[in-house]
């Protein structure tokens, strides 16, 4: 009889455990999304609650490597900024055509809600980290 009074408490604990689920691990900071030139859907790789810098690059682009390393370093300590890299290959590829990438480096920055907020090309890409940090501070 004394266990009867505990039934509502036990039910509540079971419900809380069932509803809480396992916390999701943080996504990887930087991910290469495609093989050179292969098409990829950017929207499939945006994480809700995170600002995403999409870096369109090519192996043959020296500026892409330099700017990419600099931006990665500048956002390394910002947990709410992710980098997603898309290799455009030789430039005349399906992914380059789909996203209208004809100048490298080429970055697109998406806010925490998955909305594209900035398109940067060439030297403008040096502003990517500062712009991403500004978006992190928005609601």
């Amino acid at each position: 009889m004394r266990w009867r009074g505990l039934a509502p408490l036990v039910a509540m604990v079971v419900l809380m455990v069932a509803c809480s689920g396992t916390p999701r691990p943080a996504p990887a900071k930087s991910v290469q999304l495609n093989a050179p030139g292969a098409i990829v859907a950017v929207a499939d790789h945006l994480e809700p609650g995170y600002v995403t810098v999409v870096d369109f690059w090519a192996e043959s682009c020296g500026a892409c490597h330099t700017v990419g390393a600099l931006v990665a370093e500048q956002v390394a300590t910002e947990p709410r900024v992710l980098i997603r890299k898309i290799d455009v290959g030789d430039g005349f590829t399906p992914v380059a055509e789909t996203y209208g990438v004809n100048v490298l480096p080429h970055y697109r920055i998406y806010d925490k809600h998955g909305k594209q907020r900035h398109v940067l090309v060439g030297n403008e890409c040096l502003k990517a980290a500062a712009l991403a940090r500004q978006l992190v501070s928005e609601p």
Side-chain angles (χ1 to χ4, degrees):
M1 289 290 202
R2 67 177 207 200
W3 294 103
R4 245 186 176 161
L6 292 176
L9 178 61
V10 171
M12 184 174 73
V13 169
V14 169
L15 183 61
M16 287 172 53
V17 170
C19 292
S20 68
T22 307
R24 233 178 117 188
K29 185 71 167 175
S30 182
V31 177
Q32 175 63 45
L33 299 179
N34 68 333
I39 194 74
V40 63
V42 169
D44 292 346
H45 300 281
L46 302 177
E47 294 282 343
Y50 291 85
V51 172
T52 304
V53 177
V54 179
D55 174 4
F56 292 88
W57 71 286
E59 186 63 41
S60 61
C61 173
C64 294
H65 291 282
T66 302
V67 175
L70 183 61
V71 171
E73 181 181 324
Q74 291 173 343
V75 301
T77 59
E78 179 52 68
R80 289 292 182 188
V81 176
L82 304 176
I83 298 172
R84 299 297 178 252
K85 299 177 76 62
I86 297 177
D87 187 336
V88 297
D90 68 7
F92 299 104
T93 60
V95 72
E97 186 176 316
T98 297
Y99 292 99
V101 176
N102 52 23
V103 174
L104 293 175
H106 182 113
Y107 284 15
R108 294 184 183 205
I109 305 175
Y110 295 80
D111 67 18
K112 295 184 279 188
H113 309 289
K115 180 180 177 190
Q116 181 181 295
R117 299 283 297 275
H118 301 283
V119 176
L120 309 171
V121 295
N123 286 339
E124 293 177 328
C125 294
L126 295 170
K127 300 186 265 183
L131 292 170
R133 282 193 299 273
Q134 285 176 356
L135 293 177
V136 166
S137 64
E138 292 182 355

